[in-house]
Amino acid sequence: MYSSSSSSSGVPVARVRSNAERDPKDLEASLNHLLQLHNHNSLSLRHNAEKAKKNAIGKAEKVSELLVEAVNGGVQDSFINQKRIEFEIRTLASTITRFIKQTDQWLSSTHALNTAVKEIGDFENWMKVMEYECKSITAAIQNIHQE
């Protein structure tokens, strides 16, 4: 690779052989070696890129699953609350219906009681009128007998 020669000043100069001066077989072997290194590095890079891609896809899937779970968790809670509210509404509606019926019964009972009290008052008033008329008739009969 190195050959020694002397310059015009008599000092030996190291000279590097050019690629053209090398053996063509060494050159071909070097090129094949460089090509193999390039192919190996290219495969390694492709393999690393594929691993990174799979890893990124897996993590993206995990993130999307977590997001879906978070959103669905809120939706599920809302759905459960909605069902509870609907149940409470139905319960309250039936309670209100029962209270309306009970109130109607109380109203009819108090109306009947008021009617009975009025009738008693009317009867009492009729009795007073009858008593007054009886006294008037008795007084008239006594006046007739005394005369």
Side-chain angles (χ1 to χ4, degrees), residues 28-81:
E28 187 178 334
S30 294
L31 286 174
N32 281 337
H33 179 69
L34 284 175
L35 184 61
Q36 286 175 353
L37 278 175
H38 172 73
N39 286 340
H40 176 71
N41 288 341
S42 181
L43 283 175
S44 178
L45 283 174
R46 235 182 269 145
H47 177 70
N48 288 342
E50 191 65 31
K51 272 173 77 174
K53 179 181 173 183
K54 285 181 183 178
N55 190 17
I57 289 172
K59 289 185 180 192
E61 286 176 354
K62 179 81 174 168
V63 166
S64 67
E65 287 174 7
L66 290 173
L67 288 172
V68 167
E69 286 176 13
V71 169
N72 282 346
V75 169
Q76 185 178 11
D77 290 343
S78 297
F79 181 74
I80 289 170
N81 288 338

